[in-house]
């Protein structure tokens, strides 16, 4: 369970976007466009903003962060990538 106060200040570490909290699954999800490979944001052309990755893709991923012992694990590489 993540407190409302914490939810208010948390943002996606990849794109700084808003997160949606799923109380049942106890997960935080950002459904903005991220690179399906590395999870970094992509620009309007579908190009990954991470210089080392640089992947251009026509599909994107949302990021789902899990919560452990009431602490959200806000790590891009730990987040589950959800095709979108
Ligand atoms: Zn995001
Ligand atoms: Zn990438």
């Amino acid at each position: 369970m993540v407190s409302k106060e914490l939810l208010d200040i948390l943002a996606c570490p990849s794109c700084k976007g808003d997160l949606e909290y799923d109380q049942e699954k106890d997960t935080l999800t950002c459904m903005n466009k991220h690179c399906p490979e590395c999870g970094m944001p992509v620009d309007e052309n579908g190009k990954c903003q991470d210089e080392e990755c640089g992947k251009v893709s026509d599909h994107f991923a949302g990021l789902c962060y899990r919560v452990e012992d009431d602490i959200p694990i806000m790590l891009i590489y730990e987040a589950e990538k959800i095709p979108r």
Side-chain angles (χ1 to χ4, degrees):
M1 185 70 197
V2 180
S3 70
K4 173 108 181 47
E5 289 73 26
L6 188 53
L7 282 178
D8 281 345
I9 56 167
L10 283 177
C12 175
S14 172
C15 70
K16 315 287 180 242
D18 286 336
L19 296 163
E20 229 171 87
Y21 182 51
D22 185 321
Q23 277 202 24
E24 260 169 49
K25 294 186 198 144
D26 211 18
T27 54
L28 291 156
T29 304
C30 174
M31 284 309 277
N32 288 331
K33 292 175 176 176
H34 307 87
C35 173
E37 292 276 307
C38 69
M40 291 301 284
V42 294
D43 66 15
E44 63 276 11
N45 301 315
K47 187 173 190 300
C48 177
Q49 296 297 282
D50 183 72
E51 275 180 32
E52 278 181 33
C53 176
K55 187 178 158 73
V56 181
S57 180
D58 56 1
H59 59 279
F60 309 104
L63 294 180
C64 181
Y65 303 91
R66 69 182 193 281
V67 179
E68 268 179 22
D69 299 326
D70 298 340
I71 300 165
I73 313 295
M74 306 309 290
L75 299 169
I76 297 168
Y77 65 88
E78 288 270 338
E80 184 187 343
K81 293 172 186 68
I82 304 166
R84 49 152 290 171

